[in-house]
Amino acid sequence: METYDALLASITPASGETRTILDPATGSLVGEAPVHTVEDLETAIKTASAAQPAWAALGHGARSAALLKAADAVERSAEELARLLSREQGKPLNGPNARFEVGACAAWLRATAGTPLEPETVVDDGETYAELHYRPIGVVGAIGPWNWPMMITIWQIAPALRMGNAVVVKPSEYTPLSVLALVKVINEELPEGLLTVVSGGREVGARLSEHPAIGKVMFTGSTATGKAIIKSSADTIKRLTLELGGNDAGIVLPDADPAAIAEGLFWGAFINTGQTCAALKRLYVHDDIYDAVCEELTKVAAAMPMGVGLDENNVLGPLQNRAQYDIVASLVEAARDSGARILLGGDPDTGQPGHFYPTTLVADIDNNNPLVTEEQFGPALPIIRYSTVDEAISMANGLDVGLGASVWSPNLAEARKVAARLEAGTVWINKHGAVDPRVPFGGAKQSGYGLEFGVEGLKALGVPQAING
């Protein structure tokens, strides 16, 4: 285990172009990240291609054992990784934030290692015998986001490695240090050259998505970038897993207990200060309990401390970058100007350092307001009234995205009926955004395609091969 300073020094380039990374909470220097080039990408892909066959030949057992050792390595450096993540991304150490994210990295590595994937007998009728196997793809390109940079990188690389692939990672330009440090720690337990980070700009991502030696691209990010990857990958017929933008709806049924669900609603919406693809971003509440839900949710939200991530008392942090801050501020102002009622927040202290936008709840807002129809990706939740369940379902399904959704009710049978009518890849009941490494996860409509997690996630990182005879 290295100290924090030693870990940061180990990923700081001794020469070459660098990018200065500042703490979004304080504006202070976090470190210098390398700015890799397309030439660096080419070298990484050649190295990965050379390392991959021997890794594939080890088989599932040995590869899983290596992932378990990688999980141990992450845990040995957990506090140092969490501190770096907090400083670079902004999320606090405590709550479902930096320490939680690093812990999830270890948990996902172990779950991926422990998920069985046996050859499937598809026909055995006495005349025909056929099995379905999954072979390695080769080299996988993993392009990650800035909101959960470590955890989502693990979601990409753990199944890719387990299935016998090599991986080249392209992190967000906003959070490269977190990913460089995580991969540095994991590589203590992996063969050299198998897993590489190329910390470059858009040109590196563009080349990665079109490169003929890359057999699959995994991408988490905006729908617009996902569309660009689809186009650039077409000439080489790459396999793709795309987890794209979401604008998740939650429907509170009229029999729900406002006080009982308030904290679950809060964390569904405001985990990682709202910077989560599958966060609750539109809340539909029945007229009968609308005012009570607004009141209880406001109580919970007002009690959650926001501030610098290294302060152990905070559970909400800043927005990671100024561009995202400006999007949230603009959407809230548009809602205010339209006559919507601000229950909490909406009044940022522009005199303080950092990209802090206060926890904001907006009531009595029209379903066509931009704060409802556009993904805010920050700490501002619109709360929309509805009169009938059919109306709520229609509004929830009215957008062209469908990553997640949720239904809130003590009547599980009724909640499941409503859930079955929602157009989303995952629908949670009495919770929101609770991903599980055993449960397949993916989007509907323009929220992407392909599945992650569990057996289906492993299969997505392999080439299916039927052996007949």
Side-chain angles (χ1 to χ4, degrees):
M1 181 184 72
E2 295 177 295
T3 65
Y4 172 86
D5 290 339
L7 180 61
L8 185 58
S10 71
I11 58 172
T12 300
S15 61
E17 184 182 355
T18 63
R19 178 181 297 111
T20 299
I21 303 297
L22 302 179
D23 187 329
T26 64
S28 62
L29 176 67
V30 179
E32 296 290 333
V35 178
H36 292 137
T37 65
V38 171
E39 289 72 26
D40 294 321
L41 173 66
E42 296 288 349
T43 299
I45 292 173
K46 287 179 182 178
T47 303
S49 297
Q52 187 270 332
W55 174 250
L58 291 176
H60 282 292
R63 295 195 299 264
S64 292
L67 292 186
L68 292 174
K69 290 182 178 179
D72 293 341
V74 169
E75 288 184 336
R76 287 195 299 270
S77 296
E79 191 63 17
E80 292 72 28
L81 290 170
R83 183 180 171 195
L84 177 58
L85 176 62
S86 179
R87 295 196 64 211
E88 181 178 49
Q89 200 281 334
K91 63 185 66 182
L93 290 170
N94 288 329
N97 292 298
R99 289 178 178 132
F100 167 87
E101 181 169 348
V102 174
C105 291
W108 244 268
L109 284 163
R110 290 200 171 94
T112 304
T115 300
L117 180 61
E118 302 296 335
E120 177 185 353
T121 301
V122 291
V123 179
D124 185 8
D125 62 4
E127 296 183 2
T128 300
Y129 181 81
E131 287 184 343
L132 186 62
H133 297 251
Y134 288 85
R135 307 303 186 196
I137 295 169
V139 182
V140 172
I143 305 175
W146 49 258
N147 57 332
W148 296 89
M150 290 186 179
M151 185 173 71
I152 291 177
T153 294
I154 290 293
W155 291 358
Q156 296 171 333
I157 68 176
L161 292 170
R162 161 68 194 279
M163 293 301 290
N165 304 295
V167 188
V168 177
V169 178
K170 194 276 180 192
S172 166
E173 296 164 71
Y174 288 116
T175 53
L177 296 175
S178 297
V179 176
L180 285 160
L182 176 67
V183 170
K184 191 264 180 187
V185 168
I186 290 173
N187 272 336
E188 295 171 8
E189 303 295 345
L190 295 178
E192 186 174 352
L194 189 68
L195 174 62
T196 309
V197 180
V198 182
S199 173
R202 290 184 179 181
E203 69 284 356
V204 170
R207 179 56 179 160
L208 185 64
S209 63
E210 69 181 13
H211 200 288
I214 297 293
K216 172 158 186 161
V217 172
M218 301 187 75
F219 171 73
T220 296
S222 71
T223 298
T225 303
K227 290 177 180 179
I229 289 172
I230 293 170
K231 292 175 183 177
S232 64
S233 67
D235 285 344
T236 50
I237 320 293
K238 292 192 195 314
R239 289 161 172 80
L240 299 174
T241 294
L242 304 174
E243 197 255 89
L244 307 179
N247 195 343
D248 289 13
I251 298 176
V252 179
L253 299 184
D255 60 356
D257 179 344
I261 66 173
E263 188 166 347
L265 290 172
F266 174 83
W267 283 117
F270 293 99
I271 186 172
N272 197 28
T273 316
Q275 300 166 109
T276 297
C277 295
L280 172 57
K281 299 187 175 83
R282 302 175 284 147
L283 182 61
Y284 296 95
V285 182
H286 193 272
D287 279 326
D288 289 352
I289 57 171
Y290 185 87
D291 291 336
V293 169
C294 287
E295 180 181 353
E296 295 296 336
L297 185 52
T298 301
K299 287 179 186 176
V300 171
M304 296 292 181
M306 175 184 286
V308 176
L310 296 183
D311 183 335
E312 298 276 356
N313 296 309
N314 293 322
V315 294
L316 298 171
L319 289 161
Q320 201 285 325
N321 55 80
R322 190 70 192 187
Q324 196 59 43
Y325 176 100
D326 289 342
I327 289 171
V328 175
S330 175
L331 290 171
V332 172
E333 283 310 300
R336 191 198 310 272
D337 292 344
S338 75
R341 181 162 53 105
I342 308 296
L343 299 175
L344 181 71
D347 54 347
D349 180 1
T350 56
Q352 69 173 335
H355 309 313
F356 288 99
Y357 195 90
T359 306
T360 299
L361 298 171
V362 182
D364 298 331
I365 185 170
D366 188 88
N367 190 55
N368 294 318
N369 189 281
L371 182 59
V372 180
T373 61
E374 300 176 19
E375 185 182 21
Q376 68 275 51
F377 215 71
L381 178 68
I383 310 171
I384 305 101
R385 293 178 183 268
Y386 75 87
S387 298
T388 69
V389 173
D390 285 347
E391 178 191 11
I393 292 171
S394 177
M395 290 191 290
N397 288 340
L399 300 181
D400 60 3
V401 289
L403 188 56
S406 57
V407 183
W408 303 75
S409 169
N411 185 335
L412 295 182
E414 185 61 28
R416 289 179 182 129
K417 289 179 183 178
V418 174
R421 297 173 62 190
L422 294 175
E423 297 168 354
T426 301
V427 182
W428 293 277
I429 295 175
N430 295 322
K431 56 190 174 184
H432 195 110
V435 292
D436 185 310
R438 301 166 298 179
V439 179
F441 178 71
K445 299 193 278 190
Q446 292 195 32
S447 288
Y449 48 72
L451 290 173
E452 300 176 271
F453 312 161
V455 174
E456 296 304 319
L458 291 180
K459 290 178 179 179
L461 271 303
V463 177
Q465 181 187 55
I467 298 180
N468 191 330

